[in-house]
């Protein structure tokens, strides 16, 4: 069938298998172009490995340091006549490329929050790899069935304490408008912490440690975002920000555990705001990203997920010394985003953006093309007019 983008709000309900494969190949090529990461990890588990920062982590580990990788993800498989979600195709393309390069790659499709998937992964590590050197925790999920109670907790993207009003953009229609978001209830805040906080990361590490599957000196990293003041009410100080504080709490617990295991460590990396499936769902943030892209591209400092994670591995996690951390002990690869020149310019542009001048004042065009690329559309070398088979089995 001919597969075309079908955008519904902040999601595209179709994905192109060949386009996704071309996207993965672009990322692999980038990592290879940067050369080997000396001393990088050799056996890596990525939880949330099919899209965004998790996929970039898996590609960097495999093609930057020759790692065997296990990836855990939750995607809708393809069917006869119906495309999968893009992470399905990404994982297939990654696995093919990794195996062609002689690298071990194994996939686990299912709910990473469940005890069942954890047990499957533990058994596979025991059988195939022995132990793990690095655990990347990169889940972004709207819900979590609790493994003990079965209760389904849902995360929300809301402010705390008072309603929040700011500009936002409908990225598809190009309309800038004002949005007001009512504050989260106490239950919504605690549910968001249950979904996006650090408890599940701790459960993964505990399960791996109890089964003696963490190599001496093993590391673990999870990702967070801080961003500019203009988004703090909805992000850093909102319900998701509370979950991220809990992720930092978990990092300290896990760090202590890993330190005792041959001087390993756990880290939080603060990453840059980027177009991913998750960030496109947050009100206000896409407008900020469209402005940010314009400024960072003009300055020559724009990076995508793969550039961010390759830099994280090569200059912080595996550069042969201690990572450089901020006062809260976090690694900052959002450093180029947060420099005062960029943030001052964002503040100057923000009040002036309207529907009429959106194209001129922001990189909304770049935002849209990045968004489509997430679903495998707009990649060079892919013939989108040709018939494409949407049903591709997992390898
Ligand atoms: P994403 O939506 O691109 O990818 C999320 C991944 O999680 C996918 O692989 C998906 O399959 C997997 N996943 C979701 N629910 C799952 C489940 N129940 N079981 C197994 N896998 C599941 O997300 P992203 O933007 O790359 O975010 C990853 C992390 O990076 C998050 O912690 C996010 O807060 C953080 N981060 C994102 C940004 C950004 O701008 N996108 C910036 C800084 C930090």
């Amino acid at each position: 069938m001919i597969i075309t983008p079908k955008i519904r709000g902040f999601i595209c309900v179709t994905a192109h298998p060949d386009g996704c494969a071309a996207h993965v190949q672009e990322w692999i090529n980038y990592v290879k172009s940067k050369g080997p990461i000396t001393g990088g990890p050799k056996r890596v588990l990525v939880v949330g490995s099919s899209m965004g920062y998790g996929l970039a982590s898996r590609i960097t580990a495999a093609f930057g340091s020759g790692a065997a990788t296990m990836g855990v993800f939750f995607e809708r498989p393809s069917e006869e006549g119906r495309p999968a979600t893009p992470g399905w195709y990404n994982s297939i393309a990654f696995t093919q490329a990794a195996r062609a390069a002689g690298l071990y790659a194994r996939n686990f499709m299912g709910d990473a929050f469940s005890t069942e998937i954890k047990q499957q992964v533990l058994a596979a590590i025991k059988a195939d790899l022995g132990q793990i050197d690095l655990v990347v925790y990169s889940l972004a999920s709207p819900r979590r069935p609790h493994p003990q109670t079965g209760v389904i907790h849902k995360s929300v993207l809301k402010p705390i304490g008072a309603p929040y009003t700011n500009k936002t953009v409908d990225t598809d229609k190009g309309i800038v408008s004002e949005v007001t978001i009512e504050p989260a209830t106490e239950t919504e805040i605690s549910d968001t912490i249950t979904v996006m906080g650090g408890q599940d990361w701790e459960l993964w590490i505990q399960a791996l440690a109890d089964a003696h599957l963490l190599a001496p000196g093993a590391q673990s990293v999870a990702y967070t975002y801080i961003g500019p003041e203009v988004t703090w009410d909805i992000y850093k100080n909102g319900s998701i920000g509370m979950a991220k504080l809990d992720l930092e709490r978990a990092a300290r617990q896990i760090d202590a555990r890993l330190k005792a295991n041959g001087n390993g460590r756990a880290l939080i990396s603060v990453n840059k705001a980027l177009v991913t499936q998750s960030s496109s769902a947050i009100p206000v943030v896409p407008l900020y990203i469209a402005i940010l892209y314009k400024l960072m591209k003009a300055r020559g400092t724009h990076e995508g997920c793969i550039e961010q994670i390759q830099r994280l591995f090569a200059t912080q996690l595996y550069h042969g010394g201690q990572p450089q951390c901020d006062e809260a002990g976090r690694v900052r690869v959002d450093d180029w985003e947060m420099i005062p020149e960029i943030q001052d310019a964002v503040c100057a542009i923000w009040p002036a953006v309207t529907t009429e001048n959106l194209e001129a004042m922001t990189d909304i065009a770049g935002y849209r093309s990045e968004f489509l690329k997430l679903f495998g559309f707009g990649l060079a070398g892919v013939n989108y007019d040709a018939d494409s088979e949407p049903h591709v089995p997992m390898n």
Side-chain angles (χ1 to χ4, degrees):
M1 64 192 267
I2 309 282
I3 305 175
T4 54
K6 288 202 174 74
I7 297 174
R8 306 273 181 273
F10 52 78
I11 193 89
C12 178
V13 296
T14 50
H16 200 287
D18 304 334
C20 289
H23 197 195
V24 166
Q25 193 59 49
E26 267 189 7
W27 285 14
I28 292 172
N29 293 347
Y30 175 78
V31 170
K32 283 177 155 174
S33 78
K34 301 300 279 185
I37 298 169
T38 318
K42 290 294 177 202
R43 297 161 298 179
V44 176
L45 169 63
V46 182
V47 183
S49 63
S50 56
M51 296 289 289
Y53 278 117
L55 176 62
S57 305
R58 192 177 191 187
I59 290 175
T60 302
F63 291 92
S65 69
T69 60
M70 287 190 181
V72 183
F73 51 85
F74 201 47
E75 302 287 341
R76 191 189 68 232
S78 61
E79 293 166 29
E80 290 297 338
R82 189 186 184 205
T85 47
W88 177 263
Y89 298 131
N90 290 343
S91 301
I92 291 169
F94 167 82
T95 306
Q96 274 171 359
R99 290 184 186 157
L103 299 170
Y104 172 98
R106 189 161 166 185
N107 299 311
F108 298 85
M109 227 293 280
D111 182 10
F113 296 124
S114 69
T115 306
E116 193 194 337
I117 281 283
K118 290 185 177 73
Q119 291 309 327
Q120 284 178 25
V121 172
L122 296 193
I125 296 171
K126 209 173 283 178
D128 295 358
L129 302 180
Q131 288 188 314
I132 288 289
D133 307 315
L134 171 68
V135 180
V136 178
Y137 189 80
S138 187
L139 285 189
S141 177
R143 63 199 284 282
R144 175 182 177 209
H146 198 281
Q148 267 103 44
T149 63
V151 172
I152 295 177
H153 301 270
K154 291 185 178 157
S155 63
V156 297
L157 294 157
K158 292 187 177 179
I160 292 177
Y164 167 64
T165 300
N166 210 328
K167 272 186 180 175
T168 195
V169 66
D170 179 325
T171 50
D172 188 30
K173 298 194 175 83
I175 296 171
V176 178
S177 63
E178 218 170 58
V179 62
T180 297
I181 305 148
E182 293 302 318
T185 63
E186 288 302 321
T187 309
E188 286 177 324
I189 297 168
S190 92
D191 276 347
T192 306
I193 293 170
T194 306
V195 180
M196 286 297 287
Q199 190 188 49
D200 182 60
W201 185 20
E202 287 180 286
L203 289 175
W204 272 102
I205 298 295
Q206 190 183 326
L208 289 161
D210 289 351
H212 307 289
L213 298 177
L214 293 171
Q219 299 197 47
S220 191
V221 64
Y223 302 134
T224 193
Y225 183 61
I226 295 177
E229 257 183 86
V230 72
T231 63
W232 279 6
D233 282 345
I234 189 72
Y235 200 95
K236 175 175 168 284
N237 299 335
S239 50
I240 182 72
M242 297 306 108
K244 292 298 188 183
L245 278 184
D246 188 66
L247 195 71
E248 293 188 30
R249 173 204 58 75
R252 290 187 287 274
Q253 299 291 325
I254 296 170
D255 190 54
R257 190 189 264 268
L258 295 182
K259 284 244 157 42
N261 180 47
N263 208 22
R265 67 187 159 214
L267 279 169
I268 294 282
S269 173
V270 187
N271 297 352
K272 179 191 179 196
L274 284 175
V275 183
T276 67
Q277 265 188 312
S278 307
S279 67
S280 57
I282 310 174
V284 182
V285 167
L287 180 58
Y288 167 71
I289 291 179
I291 298 173
L292 182 73
Y293 275 27
K294 181 161 181 107
L295 296 168
M296 292 187 79
K297 283 179 184 175
R299 206 183 164 90
T301 54
H302 175 70
E303 296 175 301
C305 289
I306 197 65
E307 290 85 358
Q308 279 268 290
I309 298 299
Q310 199 281 336
R311 183 156 70 93
L312 173 69
F313 275 50
T315 69
Q316 297 287 347
L317 300 186
Y318 296 102
H319 72 309
Q322 288 299 315
Q324 281 185 312
C325 293
D326 67 9
E327 68 299 338
R330 301 166 300 212
V331 172
R332 304 296 296 258
V333 285
D334 66 339
D335 46 357
W336 299 346
E337 167 183 354
M338 297 311 291
I339 60 168
E341 290 86 336
I342 292 286
Q343 289 303 320
D344 291 348
V346 170
C347 290
I349 293 171
W350 188 267
V353 183
T354 62
T355 302
E356 291 66 39
N357 65 22
L358 181 69
E359 303 279 343
M361 295 198 84
T362 77
D363 185 28
I364 191 72
Y367 185 102
R368 288 190 184 117
S369 75
E370 278 297 301
F371 180 78
L372 285 174
K373 269 177 108 173
L374 294 178
F375 301 89
F377 297 107
L379 275 294
V382 177
N383 182 357
Y384 291 98
D385 298 325
D387 241 357
S388 185
E389 173 54 60
H391 192 31
V392 189
M394 184 57 63
N395 34 25

